[in-house]
Amino acid sequence: QVDDARLATDRAVPPQRQGERYLQLPPLDPEFLGLAQRIVDGVEGDAARARAVERYLLTNGRYSDTPPAPDPTSRLSPVENFALGGMAGHCEYFASAMVLLARVDGLPARLVNGFVGGHENTIGGFRELARSDAHAWVEVHYERAGWVRYDPTPADQRMAALEPPSLGTRLRELGSALELWWFQRVVGFDRADQIRALRSAWLA
């Protein structure tokens, strides 16, 4: 992650290859356009404007796995309804809203899907990822720094307290560690592994 001090002297520009796609916008309601302009009103510099959009969503939004159902009679898109309404939703709402708000403000942005967090398997010595670790965030492209990550989603309160692992958790860790060992040592035991094993046996 590039720090804000370095980004302060950089400028947000589209990447050279197919860069115009990261500034494309669907038809948007004038109220949404006005919101985008108000968020960055008086803010100097591209990096500061990107941070202002991120901070607005973090400060005014609320994480929810069960956002309100879209109003079928509304002329607005779900993302516009989210940004102009109560701003309660999951990461895809926040990331999508930031992408649109940033692009309105002339910042080339893209939505990225991946995983964040996970669980450390202390028995197997690896990190496990589950569907609940799926996450969406935003990247803005800068001339020198390239793609820089922003995460406008407020913290999920489910992650606020980390409890010590229970017996059931430890048993699941053991099961995952055994499964990984089986795939690495048995299923994935290819010819190169066989040759190495024979060589080690011969040297022994």
Side-chain angles (χ1 to χ4, degrees):
Q1 180 70 22
V2 184
D3 61 72
D4 287 355
R6 284 179 56 193
L7 287 176
T9 58
D10 209 339
R11 64 191 186 106
V13 296
Q16 291 184 352
R17 188 172 182 180
Q18 298 181 329
E20 65 282 352
R21 65 184 291 198
Y22 301 109
L23 286 169
Q24 289 179 346
L25 287 165
L28 294 169
D29 188 81
E31 191 177 352
F32 185 89
L33 299 174
L35 172 64
Q37 292 162 3
R38 286 195 305 275
I39 291 172
V40 299
D41 187 36
V43 179
E44 299 284 338
D46 291 342
R49 290 190 296 143
R51 192 66 74 191
V53 175
E54 178 192 49
R55 187 166 50 250
Y56 175 84
L57 292 166
L58 282 168
T59 304
N60 296 285
R62 180 176 60 84
Y63 185 93
S64 173
D65 274 332
T66 55
D71 180 2
T73 64
S74 175
R75 71 184 191 286
L76 301 176
S77 69
V79 176
E80 289 173 291
N81 269 319
F82 165 80
L84 298 173
M87 284 212 304
H90 48 69
C91 57
E92 289 187 349
Y93 277 95
F94 285 94
S96 298
M98 180 168 178
V99 167
L100 290 181
L101 292 167
R103 289 184 182 184
V104 170
D105 294 326
L107 305 172
R110 67 183 180 185
L111 186 146
V112 183
N113 286 305
F115 292 87
V116 171
H119 168 73
E120 188 70 30
N121 187 309
T122 54
I123 296 175
F126 57 87
R127 182 165 290 277
E128 293 184 82
L129 295 170
R131 281 187 298 178
S132 59
D133 299 314
H135 191 55
W137 61 91
V138 177
E139 290 179 347
V140 174
H141 191 268
Y142 291 87
E143 187 173 37
R144 295 194 304 271
W147 290 107
V148 174
R149 175 180 170 169
Y150 294 87
D151 193 346
T153 305
D156 182 353
Q157 293 305 308
R158 293 173 309 168
M159 300 169 63
L162 295 176
E163 298 179 357
S166 64
L167 176 61
T169 300
R170 302 295 285 177
L171 289 174
R172 282 192 296 275
E173 284 186 2
L174 177 61
S176 295
L178 289 173
E179 184 180 22
L180 180 63
W181 180 89
W182 175 262
F183 277 103
Q184 286 179 332
R185 299 289 184 257
V186 180
V187 177
F189 194 74
D190 59 13
R191 188 173 298 277
D193 292 321
Q194 295 170 14
I195 292 172
R196 279 195 295 271
L198 286 172
R199 184 173 181 274
S200 297
W202 172 259
L203 291 175

